[in-house]
Amino acid sequence: MTPRFALIGVVTSDMAASLAFYRRLGLVFPEGSEEQPHVEVELPGGLILALDTEKTIRSFHAEWRPPSGGGRIGLAFRCGSPAEVDATYEDLVGAGHHGELKPWDAFWGQRYATVHDPDGNGVDLFAPLPAAE
């Protein structure tokens, strides 16, 4: 068997805050997930997003420490329209999340924005721009 990419893991310092953030982006986690050390949600296409607390990671890797810098990975959510990029960005920033890049029309033909999840991971929001006439 050839290995198959199946899971994206995010280590979180605050499970409840991370769940609230990703739920605002439409992901559905099981009821009571806030009290769990490991939570998974299946994404369209079968890929899994897993959230683990720092304590969970240390349970099998005692020397693990959170990285001191961010920006090494990024997640992206496709929105239904450029207006939805703007609305989603405003919703997340209004809920207290850091807005890294305000929505803008990217030269590659998308409305694009970046916010940070509660652990500082970059989460991009994008939608195709209407074709120029």
Side-chain angles (χ1 to χ4, degrees):
M1 177 178 155
T2 302
R4 180 178 59 92
F5 183 55
L7 185 141
I8 299 167
V10 175
V11 180
T12 179
S13 59
D14 184 335
M15 182 65 81
S18 290
L19 289 167
F21 177 86
Y22 288 106
R23 283 176 172 148
R24 290 185 93 87
L25 288 167
L27 299 183
V28 179
F29 291 91
E31 193 71 31
S33 292
E34 291 77 4
E35 288 80 41
Q36 300 301 315
H38 171 90
V39 187
E40 295 182 1
V41 62
E42 186 171 334
L43 305 173
L47 194 61
I48 295 169
L49 176 66
L51 302 178
D52 287 289
T53 63
E54 292 176 358
K55 184 177 179 181
T56 298
I57 301 303
R58 285 193 195 101
S59 74
F60 60 86
H61 183 7
E63 292 79 33
W64 181 87
R65 297 292 175 262
S68 59
R72 298 287 179 157
I73 67 152
L75 303 175
F77 285 75
R78 183 179 182 141
C79 297
S81 68
E84 188 179 347
V85 170
D86 294 3
T88 303
Y89 178 88
E90 291 303 323
D91 176 63
L92 291 167
V93 171
H97 301 288
H98 173 72
E100 179 68 15
L101 290 174
K102 292 181 179 182
W104 61 290
D105 292 343
F107 62 87
W108 57 83
Q110 294 176 332
R111 185 76 172 161
Y112 220 87
T114 304
V115 295
H116 286 165
D117 76 2
D119 293 291
N121 297 306
V123 177
D124 297 338
L125 309 169
F126 71 96
L129 290 169
E133 302 192 33

